[in-house]
Amino acid sequence: MAKKFYAIKQGVRPGIYTDWGEASAQVKGFKGAIYKGFETREEAEAFLEGEVSWGKQDADASSHTAKTPARRASTDAIRDVKLPGLVNAANAIGSDETGKGEIFRSLIVTAAWVRADVVEELRELGIKDSKAYHGNAKKLGELGSAITGILPSDEIDWATCEEGLVTESEGVIAVTVLLPNQKLEAIHTPEYNQDNILCDCHQKAIVKLQQVLAEAGESYGYIVIDDFLAGMRSGKRGVKFAHLMDGIQTAAGDYSCHMEMRADADYMAVSAASIISTYLELKYMEHLNDVLLAEYGMADVVPDGPISKPVRDFLKRLKNNGAEDFFQTYGKTSYVK
């Protein structure tokens, strides 16, 4: 592997480092940290001596330099303003999730980095909000495979996915985090509910992706999160919004962060995250079918949806076959009364 040079422009001890562990210690938790990886020392030195440019943003679009003060994690600094043109013209991170309401789907959150020069290519490929392909597993498989490098027939280490599965294709790097239903049920309380859990999962995926990008020497100018809080910026959901943005902002430093409803339809990075999350969710459901057959001897198809008659009928079949433990292990048990 080629040697990397990590230039820390703003951090605990600015300078050039060749060890990522040592370099990351200079920026971790440092508000407004500015750093980047390079293939040569000359490039790293030029970065330290010049101004910082994050992606292909217009000069009027708040492109960030070493002179730009770190943004505050507040609803004033992180505004809900539609900026699809600017974001799609820059290297950007987008995040989206799936599996919130379905009984057997696990919560899956993906943070995806998309390089600006592949946006049009991805659009021509058909990358857009995954809901546009609802029920079309074949198309989702084609698209998901294309931007993750994971074939529909490939096996996935789901334990690795819990910590953050890194996937990569030309111009797209993503981190996907899976929270199994058994663990979701174990941590879910009235005070720490699904909104809180989603906040932490989005933050986990984005922060790990930032680490991967730093090691790869890749830059970005925007972070956009699909709004799972339904636009609420006051009351309890406002507190959750602030918690999420504060955690991301602390790690991100000087970036433009946005959380918008329907972001998966407007921003290519969020569209890519949507496709990847849904594609891996479908593979996870196939995995559950395999588990049901291998461990419980049932050649059945695990239903994919919220509580409904097909789900209740399936639960009855589990009980009749002495396989109720499958539901306790893989289902959202608190969703079924």
Side-chain angles (χ1 to χ4, degrees), residues 10-244:
Q10 287 186 191
V12 179
R13 293 177 60 190
I16 297 175
Y17 299 80
T18 56
D19 177 73
W20 169 241
E22 187 178 0
S24 64
Q26 313 308 316
V27 298
K28 186 175 182 180
F30 187 93
K31 192 77 171 181
I34 296 178
Y35 56 99
K36 190 176 179 182
F38 297 91
E39 298 297 330
T40 67
R41 180 175 288 276
E42 290 73 18
E43 290 175 308
E45 291 173 347
F47 174 81
L48 292 182
E49 294 172 1
E51 291 191 334
V52 184
S53 177
W54 302 106
K56 299 180 180 179
Q57 298 168 230
D58 292 337
D60 295 331
S62 301
S63 63
H64 307 296
T65 70
K67 298 178 182 178
T68 305
R71 296 178 182 268
R72 293 179 296 107
S74 71
T75 53
D76 292 329
I78 308 167
R79 296 181 297 274
D80 292 298
V81 178
K82 290 290 185 182
L83 297 170
L86 295 174
V87 175
N88 288 331
N91 298 345
I93 289 175
S95 68
D96 198 9
E97 80 287 328
T98 186
K100 291 184 291 187
E102 296 84 355
I103 300 302
F104 285 99
R105 286 194 181 205
S106 281
L107 189 62
I108 291 181
V109 176
T110 297
W113 171 85
V114 172
R115 202 173 64 224
D117 62 2
V118 302
V119 168
E120 286 304 317
E121 181 180 340
L122 293 177
R123 186 172 287 121
E124 292 175 4
L125 180 65
I127 302 299
K128 52 186 175 182
D129 176 9
S130 63
K131 289 188 285 294
Y133 299 108
H134 179 70
N136 192 342
K138 180 180 179 181
K139 185 62 177 180
L140 279 168
E142 293 172 355
L143 296 175
S145 179
I147 59 175
T148 62
I150 298 175
L151 298 176
S153 59
D154 287 345
E155 295 289 332
I156 292 178
D157 183 345
W158 296 107
T160 296
C161 201
E162 290 182 41
E163 295 306 313
L165 176 68
V166 180
T167 57
E168 185 172 356
S169 62
E170 179 59 33
V172 181
I173 301 175
V175 169
T176 299
V177 173
L178 175 143
L179 180 63
N181 284 328
Q182 190 174 45
K183 292 187 177 181
L184 171 70
E185 294 286 344
I187 63 176
H188 189 286
T189 67
E191 294 74 29
Y192 187 69
N193 61 22
Q194 185 169 262
D195 284 346
N196 302 93
I197 294 168
L198 275 168
C199 283
D200 289 341
C201 286
H202 274 271
Q203 182 176 327
K204 180 178 181 179
I206 291 171
V207 170
K208 178 159 184 175
L209 177 59
Q210 289 172 320
Q211 295 168 349
V212 171
L213 294 175
E215 292 181 23
E218 301 291 0
S219 64
Y220 54 96
Y222 294 91
I223 300 173
V224 184
I225 305 164
D226 191 55
D227 192 348
F228 54 87
L229 297 175
M232 295 294 291
R233 298 292 179 266
S234 62
K236 292 183 178 180
R237 282 197 161 187
V239 172
K240 294 168 184 176
F241 172 80
H243 163 76
L244 171 63

